Amino acid sequence: MADQQPSAHSSSQELEKLPDIESCDSNINEVWTEKTAECPLCKKTFDSDVIEIHAANCGLRTAEYDNNFSDPINTLQSSGEILNWISSKVDQTNTFSICVSRNDIYNRGMQQWQRQKKSSPKGRLKVTFFGEAGVDSGALSKEFLTEMIAEIETRLFIAGVDKKGKNPVYCLNSLDRNYFRSAGEIMAVSLAQGGPPPVFLREWCFQYLHSGDYDGIQVTTSDVTDLEFSLLIEKVNSTDDMSELTDEILSCGYTGKLSADMKSNIIRAIVLHSTMRVVPMLDQLRKGLQLYDLQKVMEMHPDLCLPLFVPGEKDDKVDAGFILENCHPVFSDKGSVKYTKEVNVMNFFQDFLQEVEDRGMYYHNGTT
């Protein structure tokens, strides 16, 4: 029996029963639209069940991206770049004029710095010394900053036994006169306008200056720079009888038991008392460092700013270079026979020291 072939009429009827292609596309789009949504931030389409999570994260990423790349402070990568950046913040259209005498430059400089009401230290520093002719093209201002930074270090800070930086002096008179705030401004101006960096702070002081948080700072006995409290710590360490030291210990805020087995707690109280009492001085200094947004830079880049404020480890090794750099011979008049001989002697001395170094002939405890 032969197979029956479908007729053309029946085939056309079955095709009419199939759904229309355009209606299928419309249905698919409706289903897709119901299950997706557009992120209002990045305008991308996501499934409706994850769009909320994405939008939250997308918002955080956008804010983080804007903060990281809109502020040029975030791009600084070295101490030199920091100095260049704060230098660019100096207002070159205005001048901050200081007229002082060279006698008592610290007190007069502080007073004149604070009395300038018509201009701001954000402007370019211009210095004039009484009785001296000349226009400050930068040299006089750098000389003034050098003298003031040295005086600030000597008068407002005190070093410890280890010589690893200084703490502020506990001086309420200087605090009342806002000298520490002015000192902070002078430090900022010195860094921004070619003066010397204030590389004399202890590390814990710098940590407080950039963070403003004392609780997260670890201080030790080496951070005690006041002679009074350093001697008290030595007395506590060297005795088991605390009765003679009762008044001194109690004045440091210690309220625990006075006995030999509590030495560590007593010493800890002395350390905290010695350092915490100068925090108001650091607060004033911190306000002064807000000039040129320097304090903000310190907060964001503490590691890069550290070498500008805290002295590094010094190499105390005495070598040929050290001896010659600290040797100041007095020569005869240039052009004379004696002068030539004296220069030859110094050259021979230099060659001798360098030869000793090369051969390893170092003296130690009187022996070679």
Side-chain angles (χ1 to χ4, degrees):
M1 184 175 180
D3 294 335
Q4 293 182 353
Q5 297 292 332
S7 64
H9 177 71
S10 61
S11 297
S12 61
Q13 288 180 343
E14 291 184 5
L15 286 174
E16 291 177 357
K17 295 179 181 180
L18 293 176
D20 184 62
I21 294 177
E22 293 182 359
S23 63
C24 287
D25 290 341
S26 177
N27 293 336
I28 292 173
N29 289 334
E30 291 178 2
V31 173
W32 175 255
T33 304
E34 292 176 358
K35 293 185 177 180
T36 61
E38 184 182 81
C39 174
L41 297 174
C42 65
K43 305 302 181 183
K44 294 182 179 180
T45 303
F46 295 87
D47 291 343
S48 58
D49 55 347
V50 298
I51 185 63
E52 293 184 3
I53 299 175
H54 164 79
N57 293 330
C58 185
L60 292 174
R61 287 198 300 269
T62 303
E64 183 179 358
Y65 180 88
D66 291 341
N67 291 333
N68 287 338
F69 293 96
S70 62
D71 193 343
I73 297 179
N74 292 284
T75 65
L76 301 176
Q77 297 181 353
S78 67
S79 300
E81 290 185 4
I82 287 175
L83 292 177
N84 291 335
W85 187 86
I86 61 175
S87 295
S88 69
K89 304 291 286 185
V90 177
D91 183 5
Q92 299 293 344
T93 61
N94 294 300
T95 58
F96 184 68
S97 300
I98 299 290
C99 185
V100 293
S101 64
R102 292 186 181 274
N103 296 329
D104 195 18
I105 190 172
Y106 169 75
N107 287 314
R108 296 300 302 172
M110 283 292 192
Q111 292 172 11
Q112 293 304 310
W113 190 277
Q114 294 178 351
R115 287 177 179 175
Q116 300 304 314
K117 306 298 183 183
K118 298 181 180 180
S119 58
S120 165
K122 290 183 178 180
R124 182 176 60 84
L125 179 63
K126 180 182 177 183
V127 175
T128 305
F129 291 104
F130 286 139
E132 298 184 16
V135 178
D136 183 13
S137 59
L140 294 179
S141 60
K142 290 180 182 178
E143 182 181 355
F144 171 78
L145 290 171
T146 300
E147 293 289 338
M148 289 300 294
I149 291 295
E151 290 290 336
I152 287 171
E153 177 183 359
T154 302
R155 300 188 183 224
L156 294 183
F157 294 85
I158 182 172
V161 179
D162 59 3
K163 306 297 181 182
K164 293 183 178 180
K166 300 182 177 183
N167 288 342
V169 172
Y170 182 70
C171 179
L172 295 180
N173 288 336
S174 297
L175 184 71
D176 185 53
R177 295 173 182 172
N178 281 320
Y179 274 10
F180 285 96
R181 177 166 186 166
S182 297
E185 292 179 350
I186 293 172
M187 290 178 181
V189 171
S190 186
L191 289 171
Q193 303 193 36
V199 191
F200 52 76
L201 298 180
R202 291 200 71 86
E203 188 169 351
W204 81 266
C205 294
F206 173 77
Q207 291 176 356
Y208 183 82
L209 288 177
H210 78 72
S211 67
D213 180 19
Y214 184 86
D215 295 336
I217 298 174
Q218 295 294 326
V219 289
T220 64
T221 54
S222 62
D223 291 316
V224 177
T225 57
D226 293 281
L227 181 60
E228 173 190 357
F229 297 114
S230 296
L231 293 176
L232 179 57
I233 290 174
E234 291 182 4
K235 292 177 183 178
V236 172
N237 274 324
S238 61
T239 184
D240 290 334
D241 184 9
M242 304 292 173
S243 58
E244 296 181 358
L245 306 174
T246 300
D247 292 339
E248 294 178 81
I249 294 173
L250 294 180
S251 67
C252 294
Y254 179 76
T255 58
K257 180 182 178 182
L258 292 174
S259 60
D261 59 337
M262 300 297 289
K263 277 187 179 183
S264 60
N265 291 341
I266 294 172
I267 292 174
R268 181 62 180 167
I270 298 172
V271 171
L272 291 176
H273 176 71
S274 175
T275 52
M276 287 191 67
R277 71 175 191 161
V278 299
V279 167
M281 291 73 181
L282 291 174
D283 283 331
Q284 239 187 48
L285 192 69
R286 196 165 183 261
K287 291 179 181 178
L289 290 172
Q290 292 176 358
L291 197 66
Y292 310 128
D293 288 334
L294 178 56
Q295 198 278 321
K296 181 180 178 181
V297 177
M298 292 168 62
E299 182 179 356
M300 299 185 69
H301 301 285
D303 294 339
L304 299 180
C305 293
L306 181 69
L308 302 176
F309 294 89
V310 180
E313 295 293 335
K314 293 183 179 180
D315 186 5
D316 296 329
K317 175 183 175 182
V318 178
D319 55 11
F322 177 85
I323 294 174
L324 292 169
E325 288 173 4
N326 290 276
C327 185
H328 305 286
V330 179
F331 293 109
S332 301
D333 295 336
K334 288 185 177 181
S336 64
V337 176
K338 286 186 177 180
Y339 175 80
T340 303
K341 290 182 178 180
E342 291 163 356
V343 171
N344 289 335
V345 170
M346 288 303 301
N347 289 335
F348 176 82
F349 183 52
Q350 183 181 35
D351 293 339
F352 169 75
L353 291 175
Q354 291 174 346
E355 185 177 351
V356 169
E357 278 190 355
D358 293 340
R359 294 184 179 183
M361 298 167 59
Y362 291 103
Y363 287 84
H364 179 68
N365 295 330
T367 63
T368 59

